[in-house]
Amino acid sequence: MTFAPFTAHTNKIFIDLKILKVREVIKLNQLILTYDFLNNNLPTDLMTLFKLSSDIRSVNQTNSVVNNLFYIPKIQSSTYGNQSIRYKCAKLWNKMFKTGSIQVKADGAEKNRISLSKIRNVHNFKNALKRHFLHFYTVDVEVIYY
């Protein structure tokens, strides 16, 4: 597709083509599922999949309320419980949005962060996540094998 040398580093190619790696595509879809839950855009059967931590905890935890963090369910089995979609999506969402915003540019300046409250629809959410993941391809450190 790009006629890059066989030994070329793939991160640059992904950035140039503006496509995500498979692991990030999975994360993107998990985050879109949780975003749809927050906006009541899921089918009725799936609306019971997640719970907000603000609905579970009786102690006033402003970070959970303000940032719409999810309750991490207790897992019954370390083999399968931590691989469930309920667990994986909640854990990923809380990790990504514990500050209420995601970084989309190289430096950590406030203007290079997108607040979740500023995102108006799933299309904008998806684009912001894609830019976020592509940004971290540039931050990856090249590994030297001996």
Side-chain angles (χ1 to χ4, degrees):
M1 285 174 57
T2 62
F3 300 104
F6 181 73
T7 58
H9 198 282
T10 57
N11 283 352
K12 173 88 170 98
I13 297 169
F14 280 105
I15 292 167
D16 291 344
L17 296 176
K18 295 183 178 153
I19 57 175
L20 297 176
K21 298 176 185 179
V22 173
R23 291 193 189 276
E24 279 76 26
V25 170
I26 292 168
K27 289 178 184 178
L28 177 83
N29 285 302
Q30 289 173 336
L31 291 167
I32 288 173
L33 179 69
T34 52
Y35 179 82
D36 283 341
F37 171 82
L38 286 174
N39 292 299
N40 294 321
N41 291 333
L42 290 179
T44 310
D45 293 343
L46 294 179
M47 286 305 290
T48 60
L49 193 58
F50 305 109
K51 294 179 183 171
L52 292 173
S53 59
S54 59
D55 295 340
I56 301 295
R57 298 191 176 120
S58 59
V59 178
N60 185 11
Q61 295 184 351
T62 49
N63 191 32
S64 295
V65 173
V66 171
N67 296 329
N68 289 323
L69 298 181
F70 284 89
Y71 170 72
I72 306 293
K74 292 183 177 29
I75 53 176
Q76 302 296 326
S77 159
S78 61
T79 307
Y80 299 108
N82 60 0
Q83 297 300 318
S84 71
I85 194 161
R86 177 177 299 180
Y87 180 83
K88 296 281 267 189
C89 289
K91 192 94 165 151
L92 179 62
W93 182 274
N94 290 353
K95 180 181 174 188
M96 293 278 297
F97 293 103
K98 65 182 167 192
T99 62
S101 63
I102 55 174
Q103 186 172 342
V104 293
K105 298 268 189 224
D107 58 6
E110 223 23 68
K111 65 181 179 178
N112 294 326
R113 298 187 72 76
I114 295 179
S115 173
L116 189 57
S117 62
K118 303 277 188 216
I119 297 174
R120 298 290 174 223
N121 58 42
V122 73
H123 180 71
N124 291 346
F125 181 70
K126 183 178 178 181
N127 286 336
L129 284 176
K130 190 171 181 181
R131 287 186 312 196
H132 169 78
F133 288 129
L134 286 171
H135 157 68
F136 283 101
Y137 293 167
T138 60
V139 177
D140 285 347
V141 178
E142 189 172 328
V143 178
I144 301 172
Y145 296 100
Y146 292 105

